[in-house]
PDB file of all heavy atoms in Angstrom:
ATOM      1  N   GLY A  34       5.367  -7.291  -1.335  1.00 84.00           N
ATOM      2  CA  GLY A  34       3.976  -6.952  -1.240  1.00 84.00           C
ATOM      3  C   GLY A  34       3.072  -8.170  -1.032  1.00 84.00           C
ATOM      4  O   GLY A  34       3.570  -9.296  -1.205  1.00 84.00           O
ATOM      5  N   TYR A  35       1.928  -7.933  -0.565  1.00 86.00           N
ATOM      6  CA  TYR A  35       1.005  -9.023  -0.203  1.00 86.00           C
ATOM      7  C   TYR A  35       0.661  -9.939  -1.381  1.00 86.00           C
ATOM      8  O   TYR A  35       0.688 -11.149  -1.323  1.00 86.00           O
ATOM      9  CB  TYR A  35      -0.313  -8.458   0.409  1.00 86.00           C
ATOM     10  CG  TYR A  35      -1.336  -9.446   0.727  1.00 86.00           C
ATOM     11  CD1 TYR A  35      -1.335 -10.187   1.883  1.00 86.00           C
ATOM     12  CD2 TYR A  35      -2.370  -9.823  -0.255  1.00 86.00           C
ATOM     13  CE1 TYR A  35      -2.258 -11.140   2.176  1.00 86.00           C
ATOM     14  CE2 TYR A  35      -3.269 -10.795   0.039  1.00 86.00           C
ATOM     15  CZ  TYR A  35      -3.261 -11.432   1.303  1.00 86.00           C
ATOM     16  OH  TYR A  35      -4.193 -12.434   1.488  1.00 86.00           O
ATOM     17  N   ALA A  36       0.314  -9.280  -2.508  1.00 82.00           N
ATOM     18  CA  ALA A  36      -0.169 -10.014  -3.706  1.00 82.00           C
ATOM     19  C   ALA A  36       0.865 -11.025  -4.207  1.00 82.00           C
ATOM     20  O   ALA A  36       0.599 -12.129  -4.541  1.00 82.00           O
ATOM     21  CB  ALA A  36      -0.579  -9.085  -4.795  1.00 82.00           C
ATOM     22  N   LYS A  37       2.159 -10.572  -4.214  1.00 85.00           N
ATOM     23  CA  LYS A  37       3.147 -11.335  -4.787  1.00 85.00           C
ATOM     24  C   LYS A  37       3.722 -12.420  -3.796  1.00 85.00           C
ATOM     25  O   LYS A  37       4.403 -13.311  -4.173  1.00 85.00           O
ATOM     26  CB  LYS A  37       4.344 -10.420  -5.230  1.00 85.00           C
ATOM     27  CG  LYS A  37       5.409 -11.017  -6.086  1.00 85.00           C
ATOM     28  CD  LYS A  37       4.948 -11.159  -7.528  1.00 85.00           C
ATOM     29  CE  LYS A  37       6.116 -11.696  -8.375  1.00 85.00           C
ATOM     30  NZ  LYS A  37       5.717 -12.214  -9.662  1.00 85.00           N
ATOM     31  N   ALA A  38       3.390 -12.264  -2.535  1.00 91.00           N
ATOM     32  CA  ALA A  38       3.909 -13.182  -1.521  1.00 91.00           C
ATOM     33  C   ALA A  38       3.145 -14.519  -1.618  1.00 91.00           C
ATOM     34  O   ALA A  38       1.960 -14.546  -1.912  1.00 91.00           O
ATOM     35  CB  ALA A  38       3.731 -12.577  -0.107  1.00 91.00           C
ATOM     36  N   THR A  39       3.865 -15.636  -1.404  1.00 94.00           N
ATOM     37  CA  THR A  39       3.250 -16.934  -1.529  1.00 94.00           C
ATOM     38  C   THR A  39       3.221 -17.597  -0.121  1.00 94.00           C
ATOM     39  O   THR A  39       4.154 -17.360   0.723  1.00 94.00           O
ATOM     40  CB  THR A  39       4.010 -17.815  -2.481  1.00 94.00           C
ATOM     41  OG1 THR A  39       5.200 -18.271  -1.855  1.00 94.00           O
ATOM     42  CG2 THR A  39       4.281 -17.123  -3.774  1.00 94.00           C
ATOM     43  N   THR A  40       2.196 -18.348   0.126  1.00 96.00           N
ATOM     44  CA  THR A  40       2.159 -19.024   1.443  1.00 96.00           C
ATOM     45  C   THR A  40       3.243 -20.053   1.581  1.00 96.00           C
ATOM     46  O   THR A  40       3.811 -20.239   2.709  1.00 96.00           O
ATOM     47  CB  THR A  40       0.850 -19.776   1.600  1.00 96.00           C
ATOM     48  OG1 THR A  40       0.625 -20.686   0.473  1.00 96.00           O
ATOM     49  CG2 THR A  40      -0.353 -18.731   1.548  1.00 96.00           C
ATOM     50  N   ASN A  41       3.682 -20.653   0.507  1.00 96.00           N
ATOM     51  CA  ASN A  41       4.793 -21.623   0.587  1.00 96.00           C
ATOM     52  C   ASN A  41       6.039 -20.885   1.030  1.00 96.00           C
ATOM     53  O   ASN A  41       6.901 -21.422   1.767  1.00 96.00           O
ATOM     54  CB  ASN A  41       4.986 -22.314  -0.747  1.00 96.00           C
ATOM     55  CG  ASN A  41       3.954 -23.351  -1.022  1.00 96.00           C
ATOM     56  OD1 ASN A  41       3.044 -23.537  -0.275  1.00 96.00           O
ATOM     57  ND2 ASN A  41       4.147 -24.169  -2.100  1.00 96.00           N
ATOM     58  N   ALA A  42       6.244 -19.679   0.516  1.00 96.00           N
ATOM     59  CA  ALA A  42       7.432 -18.938   0.915  1.00 96.00           C
ATOM     60  C   ALA A  42       7.382 -18.521   2.370  1.00 96.00           C
ATOM     61  O   ALA A  42       8.365 -18.578   3.048  1.00 96.00           O
ATOM     62  CB  ALA A  42       7.476 -17.653   0.008  1.00 96.00           C
ATOM     63  N   VAL A  43       6.208 -18.181   2.828  1.00 97.00           N
ATOM     64  CA  VAL A  43       6.057 -17.906   4.286  1.00 97.00           C
ATOM     65  C   VAL A  43       6.414 -19.096   5.108  1.00 97.00           C
ATOM     66  O   VAL A  43       7.201 -19.039   6.093  1.00 97.00           O
ATOM     67  CB  VAL A  43       4.642 -17.434   4.612  1.00 97.00           C
ATOM     68  CG1 VAL A  43       4.450 -17.252   6.114  1.00 97.00           C
ATOM     69  CG2 VAL A  43       4.308 -16.109   3.895  1.00 97.00           C
ATOM     70  N   ALA A  44       5.886 -20.260   4.736  1.00 97.00           N
ATOM     71  CA  ALA A  44       6.211 -21.484   5.482  1.00 97.00           C
ATOM     72  C   ALA A  44       7.687 -21.750   5.472  1.00 97.00           C
ATOM     73  O   ALA A  44       8.279 -22.062   6.474  1.00 97.00           O
ATOM     74  CB  ALA A  44       5.424 -22.657   4.856  1.00 97.00           C
ATOM     75  N   ALA A  45       8.278 -21.653   4.271  1.00 96.00           N
ATOM     76  CA  ALA A  45       9.692 -21.920   4.132  1.00 96.00           C
ATOM     77  C   ALA A  45      10.501 -20.936   5.024  1.00 96.00           C
ATOM     78  O   ALA A  45      11.432 -21.353   5.713  1.00 96.00           O
ATOM     79  CB  ALA A  45      10.169 -21.769   2.655  1.00 96.00           C
ATOM     80  N   ARG A  46      10.128 -19.703   5.044  1.00 96.00           N
ATOM     81  CA  ARG A  46      10.869 -18.695   5.826  1.00 96.00           C
ATOM     82  C   ARG A  46      10.743 -19.064   7.284  1.00 96.00           C
ATOM     83  O   ARG A  46      11.677 -18.765   8.031  1.00 96.00           O
ATOM     84  CB  ARG A  46      10.239 -17.282   5.538  1.00 96.00           C
ATOM     85  CG  ARG A  46      10.828 -16.202   6.335  1.00 96.00           C
ATOM     86  CD  ARG A  46      12.276 -15.941   5.909  1.00 96.00           C
ATOM     87  NE  ARG A  46      12.382 -15.477   4.469  1.00 96.00           N
ATOM     88  CZ  ARG A  46      12.516 -14.230   4.163  1.00 96.00           C
ATOM     89  NH1 ARG A  46      12.680 -13.300   5.032  1.00 96.00           N
ATOM     90  NH2 ARG A  46      12.571 -13.934   2.854  1.00 96.00           N
ATOM     91  N   ALA A  47       9.651 -19.580   7.704  1.00 97.00           N
ATOM     92  CA  ALA A  47       9.469 -19.975   9.056  1.00 97.00           C
ATOM     93  C   ALA A  47      10.134 -21.311   9.418  1.00 97.00           C
ATOM     94  O   ALA A  47      10.124 -21.783  10.527  1.00 97.00           O
ATOM     95  CB  ALA A  47       8.011 -20.002   9.439  1.00 97.00           C
ATOM     96  N   GLY A  48      10.708 -21.910   8.318  1.00 96.00           N
ATOM     97  CA  GLY A  48      11.320 -23.229   8.551  1.00 96.00           C
ATOM     98  C   GLY A  48      10.382 -24.327   8.853  1.00 96.00           C
ATOM     99  O   GLY A  48      10.565 -25.149   9.718  1.00 96.00           O
ATOM    100  N   VAL A  49       9.264 -24.335   8.118  1.00 97.00           N
ATOM    101  CA  VAL A  49       8.090 -25.152   8.404  1.00 97.00           C
ATOM    102  C   VAL A  49       7.523 -25.632   7.137  1.00 97.00           C
ATOM    103  O   VAL A  49       7.596 -24.947   6.103  1.00 97.00           O
ATOM    104  CB  VAL A  49       7.144 -24.329   9.308  1.00 97.00           C
ATOM    105  CG1 VAL A  49       5.759 -24.681   9.060  1.00 97.00           C
ATOM    106  CG2 VAL A  49       7.496 -24.472  10.764  1.00 97.00           C
ATOM    107  N   SER A  50       6.701 -26.718   7.085  1.00 96.00           N
ATOM    108  CA  SER A  50       6.100 -27.131   5.897  1.00 96.00           C
ATOM    109  C   SER A  50       4.802 -26.480   5.690  1.00 96.00           C
ATOM    110  O   SER A  50       4.161 -25.962   6.613  1.00 96.00           O
ATOM    111  CB  SER A  50       5.876 -28.679   6.025  1.00 96.00           C
ATOM    112  OG  SER A  50       4.666 -28.917   6.655  1.00 96.00           O
ATOM    113  N   PRO A  51       4.331 -26.422   4.383  1.00 96.00           N
ATOM    114  CA  PRO A  51       3.078 -25.737   4.143  1.00 96.00           C
ATOM    115  C   PRO A  51       1.894 -26.285   4.931  1.00 96.00           C
ATOM    116  O   PRO A  51       1.056 -25.537   5.423  1.00 96.00           O
ATOM    117  CB  PRO A  51       2.842 -26.059   2.612  1.00 96.00           C
ATOM    118  CG  PRO A  51       4.195 -26.338   2.106  1.00 96.00           C
ATOM    119  CD  PRO A  51       5.008 -26.952   3.199  1.00 96.00           C
ATOM    120  N   GLY A  52       1.870 -27.566   5.147  1.00 96.00           N
ATOM    121  CA  GLY A  52       0.848 -28.247   5.937  1.00 96.00           C
ATOM    122  C   GLY A  52       0.746 -27.606   7.301  1.00 96.00           C
ATOM    123  O   GLY A  52      -0.308 -27.391   7.917  1.00 96.00           O
ATOM    124  N   THR A  53       1.913 -27.402   7.909  1.00 97.00           N
ATOM    125  CA  THR A  53       1.968 -26.811   9.255  1.00 97.00           C
ATOM    126  C   THR A  53       1.395 -25.474   9.295  1.00 97.00           C
ATOM    127  O   THR A  53       0.635 -25.040  10.203  1.00 97.00           O
ATOM    128  CB  THR A  53       3.425 -26.850   9.794  1.00 97.00           C
ATOM    129  OG1 THR A  53       3.921 -28.157   9.825  1.00 97.00           O
ATOM    130  CG2 THR A  53       3.496 -26.222  11.127  1.00 97.00           C
ATOM    131  N   LEU A  54       1.690 -24.657   8.247  1.00 97.00           N
ATOM    132  CA  LEU A  54       1.128 -23.305   8.225  1.00 97.00           C
ATOM    133  C   LEU A  54      -0.411 -23.370   8.243  1.00 97.00           C
ATOM    134  O   LEU A  54      -1.028 -22.618   9.078  1.00 97.00           O
ATOM    135  CB  LEU A  54       1.623 -22.627   6.890  1.00 97.00           C
ATOM    136  CG  LEU A  54       1.240 -21.114   6.726  1.00 97.00           C
ATOM    137  CD1 LEU A  54       2.229 -20.501   5.759  1.00 97.00           C
ATOM    138  CD2 LEU A  54      -0.224 -20.964   6.158  1.00 97.00           C
ATOM    139  N   TYR A  55      -0.949 -24.279   7.500  1.00 97.00           N
ATOM    140  CA  TYR A  55      -2.403 -24.342   7.350  1.00 97.00           C
ATOM    141  C   TYR A  55      -3.041 -24.996   8.576  1.00 97.00           C
ATOM    142  O   TYR A  55      -4.287 -25.038   8.717  1.00 97.00           O
ATOM    143  CB  TYR A  55      -2.812 -25.056   6.098  1.00 97.00           C
ATOM    144  CG  TYR A  55      -2.672 -24.096   4.896  1.00 97.00           C
ATOM    145  CD1 TYR A  55      -1.569 -24.056   4.195  1.00 97.00           C
ATOM    146  CD2 TYR A  55      -3.741 -23.177   4.575  1.00 97.00           C
ATOM    147  CE1 TYR A  55      -1.415 -23.200   3.096  1.00 97.00           C
ATOM    148  CE2 TYR A  55      -3.579 -22.356   3.530  1.00 97.00           C
ATOM    149  CZ  TYR A  55      -2.453 -22.331   2.789  1.00 97.00           C
ATOM    150  OH  TYR A  55      -2.292 -21.489   1.716  1.00 97.00           O
ATOM    151  N   GLN A  56      -2.172 -25.510   9.484  1.00 96.00           N
ATOM    152  CA  GLN A  56      -2.680 -25.975  10.775  1.00 96.00           C
ATOM    153  C   GLN A  56      -3.118 -24.786  11.603  1.00 96.00           C
ATOM    154  O   GLN A  56      -4.046 -24.950  12.445  1.00 96.00           O
ATOM    155  CB  GLN A  56      -1.572 -26.748  11.462  1.00 96.00           C
ATOM    156  CG  GLN A  56      -2.066 -27.494  12.667  1.00 96.00           C
ATOM    157  CD  GLN A  56      -2.316 -29.002  12.289  1.00 96.00           C
ATOM    158  OE1 GLN A  56      -1.712 -29.438  11.304  1.00 96.00           O
ATOM    159  NE2 GLN A  56      -3.082 -29.703  13.020  1.00 96.00           N
ATOM    160  N   PHE A  57      -2.519 -23.701  11.401  1.00 96.00           N
ATOM    161  CA  PHE A  57      -2.787 -22.498  12.281  1.00 96.00           C
ATOM    162  C   PHE A  57      -3.469 -21.336  11.588  1.00 96.00           C
ATOM    163  O   PHE A  57      -4.059 -20.572  12.262  1.00 96.00           O
ATOM    164  CB  PHE A  57      -1.452 -22.036  12.884  1.00 96.00           C
ATOM    165  CG  PHE A  57      -0.702 -23.077  13.601  1.00 96.00           C
ATOM    166  CD1 PHE A  57       0.324 -23.803  13.116  1.00 96.00           C
ATOM    167  CD2 PHE A  57      -1.167 -23.399  14.928  1.00 96.00           C
ATOM    168  CE1 PHE A  57       0.973 -24.773  13.856  1.00 96.00           C
ATOM    169  CE2 PHE A  57      -0.491 -24.387  15.687  1.00 96.00           C
ATOM    170  CZ  PHE A  57       0.539 -25.098  15.155  1.00 96.00           C
ATOM    171  N   PHE A  58      -3.359 -21.308  10.299  1.00 96.00           N
ATOM    172  CA  PHE A  58      -4.007 -20.247   9.570  1.00 96.00           C
ATOM    173  C   PHE A  58      -4.806 -20.822   8.396  1.00 96.00           C
ATOM    174  O   PHE A  58      -4.266 -21.537   7.552  1.00 96.00           O
ATOM    175  CB  PHE A  58      -2.996 -19.177   9.037  1.00 96.00           C
ATOM    176  CG  PHE A  58      -2.273 -18.524  10.095  1.00 96.00           C
ATOM    177  CD1 PHE A  58      -1.019 -18.971  10.592  1.00 96.00           C
ATOM    178  CD2 PHE A  58      -2.818 -17.381  10.761  1.00 96.00           C
ATOM    179  CE1 PHE A  58      -0.325 -18.354  11.559  1.00 96.00           C
ATOM    180  CE2 PHE A  58      -2.138 -16.754  11.781  1.00 96.00           C
ATOM    181  CZ  PHE A  58      -0.861 -17.276  12.192  1.00 96.00           C
ATOM    182  N   ALA A  59      -6.093 -20.472   8.387  1.00 94.00           N
ATOM    183  CA  ALA A  59      -7.016 -21.141   7.390  1.00 94.00           C
ATOM    184  C   ALA A  59      -6.600 -20.867   5.981  1.00 94.00           C
ATOM    185  O   ALA A  59      -6.817 -21.657   5.064  1.00 94.00           O
ATOM    186  CB  ALA A  59      -8.425 -20.704   7.686  1.00 94.00           C
ATOM    187  N   ASN A  60      -6.121 -19.642   5.761  1.00 94.00           N
ATOM    188  CA  ASN A  60      -5.683 -19.230   4.393  1.00 94.00           C
ATOM    189  C   ASN A  60      -4.811 -17.983   4.469  1.00 94.00           C
ATOM    190  O   ASN A  60      -4.451 -17.536   5.516  1.00 94.00           O
ATOM    191  CB  ASN A  60      -6.933 -18.995   3.573  1.00 94.00           C
ATOM    192  CG  ASN A  60      -7.940 -18.079   4.326  1.00 94.00           C
ATOM    193  OD1 ASN A  60      -7.564 -17.126   4.937  1.00 94.00           O
ATOM    194  ND2 ASN A  60      -9.215 -18.422   4.249  1.00 94.00           N
TER     195      ASN A  60
END
Side-chain angles (χ1 to χ4, degrees):
Chain A
Y35 176 86
K37 192 78 177 167
T39 76
T40 56
N41 283 7
V43 172
R46 177 70 61 103
V49 146
S50 85
T53 298
L54 186 155
Y55 283 93
Q56 192 97 23
F57 300 101
F58 297 95
N60 47 42

